[in-house]
């Protein structure tokens, strides 16, 4: 198999590392910053090309790791070159862009897979099975939180360039709740704010503009839900809580946090009271890209990843439109 990775920044590097761990795949890299592509290629002993050269290669798929404002253009270019696409989250920055991508994928008869990697974490897979088997009964309230540092690149704090808390952080948890509970509806941006207007990036103090803290309320599969995300949490924080008619579920990708199912009444292998599970460290890039390569090999790529991401783009357009501020 041959995969072309475009964008050799922080995440592109993690993808290349994951492919190398997975083995049995040739990886080529490109970046608009040629020195960046060369540095990554030298480190891994692989080939660096210009972006145009990459598109002219015989590839099984193009893996897009450029800043989010360039996702749409890169996806369209890769599709028109006849390639399947793996694209980092978010798919794109608006519902209009998402519809363009969907049409282009249909026309090219190629698939687009979006990198919502939390779906691959064992704790969240366990949460999904627990919910699907009714262990906590019928869910009626859900809360999700994702907090991180930010301050990695100026574009991550510039809304026009695809940054800010909604596209950088919250999309992950919105995707996760839609997967766990069902389609998102009735979204409202309850609060949004720029808490830290000055950031230290590459040894400089940078004035930034995009919101770094937001709270959104909505329904997920009819369940009353709330999601808080930010770019102001020094340590990184991630968890989902779901309350149901037979108890509570708490799940997190953090290996120092337990995943806990609390049952009012025992169900199957779950006792009354707290049932603890611990999941060790997981390289989510290896998991999600391993699943992608497997699907490419078996010719089992489907349109669901793209269609669900298009729906998420529609939901985000609606909450940004609902912003009364
Ligand atoms: N899955 C996750 O948990 C996760 C985490 C962080 C970032 N991301 C996503 O990954 C993507 C990349 O983020 P990052 O942190 O690696 O950013 P980054 O700024 O570190 O890297 C982006 C790279 O793309 C290159 N680039 C910029 N514009 C380009 C263009 N038009 N054509 C070719 N190359 C171009 C830059 O030179 C840079 O090397 C973003 O969409 C981001 O939202 C995902």
């Amino acid at each position: 198999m041959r995969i072309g990775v475009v964008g050799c920044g922080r995440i592109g590097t993690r993808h290349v590392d994951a492919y190398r761990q997975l083995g049995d795949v040739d990886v080529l890299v490109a970046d608009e910053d040629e020195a960046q592509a060369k540095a990554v290629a030298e480190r891994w002993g692989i080939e660096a090309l210009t972006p145009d050269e990459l598109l002219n290669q015989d590839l099984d798929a193009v893996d897009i790791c450029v800043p989010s404002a360039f996702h749409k253009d890169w996806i369209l270019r890769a599709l028109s070159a006849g390639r399947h696409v793996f694209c980092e989250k978010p798919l794109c920055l608006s519902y209009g862009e998402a519809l363009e991508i969907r049409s282009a994928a249909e026309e090219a008869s190629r698939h687009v897979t979006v990198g919502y990697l939390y779906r691959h974490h064992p704790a969240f897979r366990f949460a999904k099975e627990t919910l699907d088997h009714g262990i906590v009964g019928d869910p009626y309230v859900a809360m999700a939180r994702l907090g991180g540092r930010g301050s990695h690149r100026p574009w991550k704090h510039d809304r026009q360039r695809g940054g800010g808390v909604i596209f950088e952080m919250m999309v992950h948890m919105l995707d996760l709740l839609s997967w766990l509970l069902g389609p998102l509806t009735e979204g409202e941006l309850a609060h949004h704010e720029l808490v830290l207007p000055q950031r230290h990036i590459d040894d400089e103090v940078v004035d930034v503009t995009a919101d770094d803290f937001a709270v959104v309320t909505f329904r997920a599969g009819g369940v009353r839900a709330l999601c808080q995300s930010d770019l102001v949490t020094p340590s990184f924080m991630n968890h989902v809580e779901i309350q149901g008619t037979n108890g509570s579920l708490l799940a997190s990708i953090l290996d120092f946090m337990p995943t806990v199912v609390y049952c009012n009444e025992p169900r199957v292998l779950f006792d009354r009271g707290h049932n603890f599970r611990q999941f060790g460290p997981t390289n989510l890039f290896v998991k999600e890209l391993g699943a992608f390569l497997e699907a490419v090999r078996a010719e089992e790529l489907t349109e669901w990843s793209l269609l669900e991401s298009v729906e998420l783009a529609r939901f985000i357009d609606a909450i940004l439109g609902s912003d009364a501020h």
Side-chain angles (χ1 to χ4, degrees), residues 286-305:
V286 169
K287 288 222 180 265
E288 71 167 352
L289 294 172
F292 176 68
L293 291 184
E294 208 40 59
V296 175
R297 258 187 215 112
E299 297 184 7
E300 282 175 356
L301 288 171
T302 70
E303 60 187 354
W304 286 108
S305 175

Side-chain angles (χ1 to χ4, degrees), residues 1 3 60-62 79 83-86 109-114 288-306:
M1 296 222 356
I3 304 287
D60 292 286
V62 175
L79 288 172
R83 307 292 166 229
H84 293 304
V85 170
F86 185 95
S109 298
R110 287 291 174 270
H111 290 290
V112 178
T113 301
V114 186
E288 71 167 352
L289 294 172
F292 176 68
L293 291 184
E294 208 40 59
V296 175
R297 258 187 215 112
E299 297 184 7
E300 282 175 356
L301 288 171
T302 70
E303 60 187 354
W304 286 108
S305 175
L306 175 58

Side-chain angles (χ1 to χ4, degrees), residues 15-294:
H15 284 213
V16 173
D17 175 36
Y19 288 125
R20 302 289 289 173
Q21 289 189 43
L22 287 159
D24 205 18
V25 52
D26 283 339
V27 180
L28 314 174
V29 292
D31 195 294
E32 70 168 15
D33 177 346
E34 287 183 25
Q36 184 70 17
K38 277 196 184 123
V40 169
E42 267 168 32
R43 181 166 156 209
W44 300 102
I46 56 180
E47 197 178 348
L49 302 167
T50 66
D52 286 341
E53 286 169 347
L54 186 91
L55 279 175
N56 287 328
Q57 295 291 309
D58 185 14
L59 299 169
D60 292 286
V62 175
D63 178 345
I64 298 172
C65 299
V66 299
S68 311
F70 305 108
H71 284 186
K72 185 202 80 173
D73 287 350
W74 260 103
I75 293 171
L76 297 188
R77 290 180 75 189
L79 288 172
S80 69
R83 307 292 166 229
H84 293 304
V85 170
F86 185 95
C87 184
E88 259 303 339
K89 52 51 67 175
L91 171 65
C92 57
L93 299 182
S94 71
Y95 184 47
E97 287 189 349
L99 292 177
E100 268 187 75
I101 292 168
R102 193 182 71 189
S103 302
E106 278 165 10
E107 205 169 300
S109 298
R110 287 291 174 270
H111 290 290
V112 178
T113 301
V114 186
Y116 284 113
L117 77 183
Y118 293 152
R119 291 187 185 211
H120 294 272
H121 195 280
F124 290 134
R125 296 189 92 84
F126 167 80
K128 175 120 179 90
E129 278 178 27
T130 304
L131 290 165
D132 289 351
H133 286 91
I135 306 299
V136 293
D138 295 328
Y140 49 75
V141 160
M143 280 177 261
R145 163 157 161 68
L146 178 62
R149 280 185 291 278
S151 298
H152 155 48
R153 297 263 193 249
W155 74 260
K156 300 212 169 192
H157 298 279
D158 180 343
R159 174 73 182 80
Q160 301 311 316
R161 293 199 281 160
V165 61
I166 302 273
F167 290 109
E168 265 305 282
M169 302 297 274
M170 194 181 280
V171 286
H172 276 298
M173 299 320 261
L174 295 175
D175 174 72
L176 193 62
L177 285 181
S178 75
W179 178 62
L180 291 174
L181 295 170
L184 309 184
T185 54
E186 297 179 35
E188 280 185 35
L189 186 54
H191 185 78
H192 66 109
E193 190 172 336
L194 175 55
V195 176
L196 299 177
Q198 287 198 323
R199 298 293 185 136
H200 291 264
I201 303 175
D202 294 335
D203 296 329
E204 278 182 35
V205 176
V206 180
D207 291 321
V208 300
T209 53
D211 288 338
D212 54 18
F213 183 99
V215 178
V216 169
T217 61
F218 53 101
R219 288 188 187 275
V223 174
R224 166 50 57 208
L226 178 150
C227 184
Q228 183 276 339
S229 293
D230 63 66
L231 289 161
V232 303
T233 300
S235 68
F236 184 78
M237 193 49 68
N238 163 303
H239 54 80
V240 167
E241 250 183 65
I242 294 171
Q243 317 304 338
T245 50
N246 191 48
S248 304
L249 166 70
L250 170 73
S252 170
I253 73 163
L254 291 165
D255 54 33
F256 59 80
M257 276 180 78
T259 289
V260 189
V261 178
Y262 175 88
C263 290
N264 295 330
E265 296 300 331
R267 288 219 172 136
V268 199
L269 297 174
F270 292 82
D271 297 330
R272 177 181 287 115
H274 290 101
N275 297 262
F276 289 89
R277 296 285 186 282
Q278 201 81 39
F279 297 94
T282 301
N283 184 330
L284 286 176
F285 295 103
V286 169
K287 288 222 180 265
E288 71 167 352
L289 294 172
F292 176 68
L293 291 184
E294 208 40 59

